[in-house]
Amino acid sequence: MKQAKQVILVIFLCSTTFMFSQDLNKLIENNGFRKIKLNTNVKNYVDDKGYYHFLKRDSTTVKYFERFTEYNYIYASKDYEKIGNVKIKYIFVKTLNEIIYDIFIVTEPNLEIFNLIQLAYGKPTSTYKEDSTQGASMAWNAEKLNCTLSGFKGHYYFQLHYYAKELKAKAWELEKTQLEKEQKEKTKKAIKEF
């Protein structure tokens, strides 16, 4: 009898581990949001008429980026308007040499998205302040990519965020190097003033 209980426990643990990994496998398989994939060239997203799906941030398009000016591109096509019943407000991406490493989706503040993402990817690998009635911050961590969902009741928007770990780390290093270079230049100019 004791041995049968142990066998049942082992089967249960293996099956839940398998189910969890299958859900994480769906995240890995998707490699981004719908057809917008991490580690792909942003210039590859073109419609049937030859128009790019993404607008690059510049002086003429900066108004579309509002508080999200750290992103390089905004998705300009109308084919992704909802996730279930949750309205998508914006989709932004960051690139390194035109390769997408960060996808940031801004949605209306609708708690339904928490249920939908858990149905798609399973239980999150980590959570912060998990309360389905008030909102939460959840993360699904795979070997090469992460997905996070954050939003709390009363906020203006919720955010769904996918990023490729390796490219994001490279981009951060390049940005850090650039900031250090700019700081050295400022220091040289300041020294010349005295």
Side-chain angles (χ1 to χ4, degrees), residues 47-193:
D47 68 14
D48 295 338
K49 297 178 183 174
Y51 294 107
Y52 289 109
H53 286 249
F54 288 97
L55 289 176
K56 188 171 185 158
R57 181 176 41 86
D58 61 23
S59 60
T60 61
T61 62
V62 74
K63 62 186 173 194
Y64 302 116
F65 289 80
E66 293 181 358
R67 295 185 302 257
F68 306 100
T69 55
E70 72 272 19
Y71 288 88
N72 309 78
Y73 291 88
I74 187 170
Y75 195 71
S77 183
K78 293 287 186 193
D79 52 348
Y80 298 144
E81 294 184 349
K82 289 186 174 191
I83 300 172
N85 293 316
V86 181
K87 184 177 183 246
I88 295 172
K89 292 183 174 196
Y90 308 105
I91 300 174
F92 299 101
V93 297
K94 285 184 184 178
T95 61
L96 178 62
N97 299 326
E98 306 300 327
I99 303 299
I100 298 172
Y101 71 88
D102 189 321
I103 304 167
F104 188 76
I105 302 152
V106 178
T107 72
E108 68 179 348
N110 184 332
L111 294 171
E112 177 187 353
I113 196 166
F114 285 99
N115 296 327
L116 291 172
I117 197 166
Q118 289 182 80
L119 288 171
Y121 299 145
K123 185 178 177 184
T125 54
S126 63
T127 61
Y128 170 74
K129 223 176 182 182
E130 184 178 356
D131 179 356
S132 61
T133 62
Q134 296 297 313
S137 182
M138 302 176 171
W140 291 261
N141 301 309
E143 184 180 343
K144 295 183 179 185
L145 68 108
N146 277 15
C147 174
T148 61
L149 173 62
S150 300
F152 296 91
K153 202 170 186 176
H155 284 195
Y156 172 68
Y157 63 88
F158 287 3
Q159 58 191 36
L160 177 58
H161 190 194
Y162 296 85
Y163 66 88
K165 292 179 181 180
E166 188 177 320
L167 267 180
K168 185 173 184 167
K170 284 181 186 177
W172 188 84
E173 281 298 319
L174 287 172
E175 185 177 332
K176 182 179 163 187
T177 303
Q178 182 62 32
L179 289 172
E180 289 170 354
K181 183 179 173 183
E182 289 172 6
Q183 185 60 42
K184 285 180 184 178
E185 290 298 317
K186 288 179 183 177
T187 301
K188 283 181 186 178
K189 287 180 182 178
I191 290 171
K192 286 182 182 179
E193 292 295 323

